[in-house]
Amino acid sequence: CVPPSPPPPASTADTADSVTAAAGSLAAAGHNDPRALRAPAQGASATDGRARRYFRWCGLLLNMATCEVHPDMSRRRAHVSIGPRAHKPQLRARMRTAVKAQLRAVFVDPTLNSAVAVRRNVYHGLLHAVSAALAAVGRSAAAHPAGGLIGAVRELIGFAARAVRGNQLRCLGMARAGTPDSRGGGSAADTPRGSTLVDPSEVAWCAWTALLTALPASCVGMRGDARSRRTRLEVSGQLCAESLQLLRAAADARNLVVGGEAQARSI
């Protein structure tokens, strides 16, 4: 007898969709424990600076209390080789590549994640992209033309804002398509509204904060420029008090996942 062929491996998109569906069904059923999603090889838990516990699964971190989904940044590496004299198009392309995977629909889904969790994922994705850019210019970051990196971050903001808004609207559309109201039954109140959508000005705030976080202290000029741009956003009225509160909570360094069980006990 010839044994049957093993099924083909699932694609990345299929995996993300299955995670979204599984986490959503767990939350809806009241079973807020992602440990039901058994993955023996990737089952190590992790803890952040606020002692929240996460379940590592296929490159994702599932919050073990809320089933919110975050990228597992320990699996991300900023592999760059464009050198300290990187041309602007190369630098910008690297940053877009680095942030794109961190802003997938599962990470910014407003029906699956809370408002602060979505913004946390956006901030961490931008921090990863900015870190990739700084790794590209290496130790010459302090001497690198400020206009090149600042311009690259400005372009990154536009790219990230479009990606986040497009993915969020698509997630809301898919959620509403499955409600009774969309099929002629039920009421409009049954339509899932999710957390608030991320505004482009919020993406900009996250990007300038990420640049401030990643830049070394020797980059006095660029740090001052980034801080000035963030301050203008805060005082211009583009960000309401509620948005600023969410953003500052999302950018709190204690939200970074620091490691597994043994490491968490030593914090």
Side-chain angles (χ1 to χ4, degrees), residues 130 207-216 222-224 226-228 230:
V130 169
W208 298 124
T209 302
L211 184 59
L212 272 171
T213 302
L215 279 172
M222 275 190 283
R223 288 180 61 85
R227 185 178 289 106
S228 174
R230 186 181 68 177

Side-chain angles (χ1 to χ4, degrees), residues 13-228:
D14 293 338
T15 301
D17 291 342
S18 66
V19 171
T20 303
S25 62
L26 281 171
H31 302 296
N32 294 325
D33 189 352
R35 285 172 291 187
L37 301 174
R38 297 293 180 183
Q42 304 179 40
S45 62
T47 310
D48 66 10
R50 294 184 179 275
R52 290 175 295 207
R53 292 169 58 83
Y54 298 87
F55 181 81
R56 281 197 169 101
W57 194 70
C58 297
L60 308 178
L61 286 173
L62 304 181
N63 187 308
M64 298 179 72
T66 65
C67 281
E68 293 172 326
V69 183
H70 305 279
D72 186 355
M73 301 307 292
S74 67
R75 297 168 60 94
R76 305 294 189 264
R77 296 292 183 270
H79 293 297
V80 289
S81 59
I82 55 180
R85 297 185 179 275
H87 296 295
K88 291 181 183 178
Q90 291 177 298
L91 189 62
R92 293 174 181 180
R94 292 287 182 175
M95 294 176 77
R96 290 194 300 268
T97 300
V99 79
K100 186 176 181 180
Q102 318 307 323
L103 300 180
R104 288 185 293 161
V106 70
F107 300 133
V108 298
D109 187 345
T111 66
L112 180 62
N113 300 314
S114 67
V116 68
V118 168
R119 284 153 182 79
R120 172 187 167 186
N121 290 343
V122 171
Y123 169 72
H124 286 173
L126 290 166
L127 181 59
H128 174 71
V130 169
S131 298
L134 292 177
V137 299
R139 296 182 178 179
S140 65
H144 198 273
L149 188 55
I150 293 294
V153 173
R154 290 180 61 186
E155 183 174 302
L156 178 68
I157 290 169
F159 176 84
R162 291 190 296 272
V164 171
R165 181 54 61 93
N167 283 335
Q168 286 196 304
L169 292 177
R170 185 158 53 251
C171 290
L172 286 174
M174 292 173 62
R176 287 168 181 159
T179 60
D181 183 58
S182 66
R183 299 189 295 270
S187 63
D190 297 325
T191 303
R193 300 182 184 277
S195 58
T196 54
L197 296 179
V198 179
D199 189 81
S201 61
E202 295 180 283
V203 177
W205 189 96
C206 288
W208 298 124
T209 302
L211 184 59
L212 272 171
T213 302
L215 279 172
S218 56
C219 299
V220 178
M222 275 190 283
R223 288 180 61 85
D225 196 344
R227 185 178 289 106
S228 174

